[in-house]
Amino acid sequence: MAYHVGAKPELYREVMRRAHLAQREVVTAAVRRLHACGPSPEETRAALLAFVDAYLSFCLSHPEVPALWMRRWLAEGADLADIETEFAGPLVAEVAAAVREVLDRAGLGAGVDVEMLVFTIVWTSHSFGQAGAIDPAGRRLGPLDLSILDRFRRHLHTIVNGVLDQLS
């Protein structure tokens, strides 16, 4: 294995690079759709929620990507800190800039901390995709349970709308 891909750090970097490229492809397409939305507050909200839905759908259809990032957040590969510098940081900055631009154009969310909103969507989407939710009986309901998925999606929409409403 080392002959073909290098030592463990190189293998780890390549796995994270491939995960990032898959994530970036979906996010970039969603950013293009976000930029193309109409300038009204209603069109902007709808486009932002569609962006959230696209990211959640990616997380659910590629559970290995959120799993890799979550393991990393738990300090796996911490010695390779430049992965965030190379992959995560620029993508978050790109998304935050796009969201800020369309919010400003629509006159929404002047005081919104867009980066924290982006991180909130990432953290919750990754966690839900990996762990689902626990019902009152203590059973884990995963994203394949359509009622819990619909409930979670509505919750994400409520968070986004709530942040925009509070700070507009």
Side-chain angles (χ1 to χ4, degrees), residues 20 23-24 27 31 51 55 84 87-99 114-119 122-123:
H20 168 73
Q23 188 175 28
R24 181 170 191 64
V27 168
V31 164
F51 181 92
Y55 190 73
E84 278 76 13
F87 302 139
L91 189 56
V92 168
E94 182 181 329
V95 170
V99 170
V114 175
E115 283 185 351
M116 279 296 133
L117 181 58
V118 170
F119 282 124
V122 169
W123 295 328

Side-chain angles (χ1 to χ4, degrees), residues 35-168:
H35 275 297
C37 77
S40 75
E42 296 77 20
E43 292 167 306
T44 300
R45 280 179 191 266
L48 189 54
L49 295 177
F51 181 92
V52 169
D53 289 343
Y55 190 73
L56 177 59
S57 294
F58 168 78
C59 289
L60 298 177
S61 64
H62 298 280
E64 69 281 2
V65 174
L68 285 166
W69 281 110
M70 290 178 76
R71 289 186 63 95
R72 184 158 180 79
W73 298 339
L74 295 172
E76 182 178 280
D79 54 326
L80 298 171
D82 59 327
I83 287 177
E84 278 76 13
T85 304
E86 186 176 346
F87 302 139
L91 189 56
V92 168
E94 182 181 329
V95 170
V99 170
R100 171 55 47 214
E101 184 179 322
V102 298
L103 290 178
D104 287 349
R105 183 177 68 195
L108 289 171
V112 171
D113 186 334
V114 175
E115 283 185 351
M116 279 296 133
L117 181 58
V118 170
F119 282 124
T120 298
I121 292 162
V122 169
W123 295 328
T124 55
S125 295
H126 286 204
S127 296
F128 177 76
Q130 294 300 300
I134 306 297
D135 75 2
R139 292 175 301 175
R140 184 174 304 281
L141 303 174
L144 295 178
D145 181 312
L146 296 181
S147 65
I148 199 72
L149 173 58
D150 184 53
R151 186 175 161 200
F152 178 73
R153 190 180 307 272
R154 284 192 319 270
H155 180 69
L156 273 181
H157 289 197
T158 299
I159 290 170
V160 171
N161 281 318
V163 168
L164 294 180
D165 290 343
Q166 185 177 25
L167 296 170
S168 289

Side-chain angles (χ1 to χ4, degrees), residues 5-18:
V5 294
K8 186 176 178 182
E10 288 81 21
L11 178 59
Y12 183 84
R13 174 179 293 293
E14 181 60 19
V15 167
M16 293 304 294
R17 186 185 73 78
R18 288 180 186 203

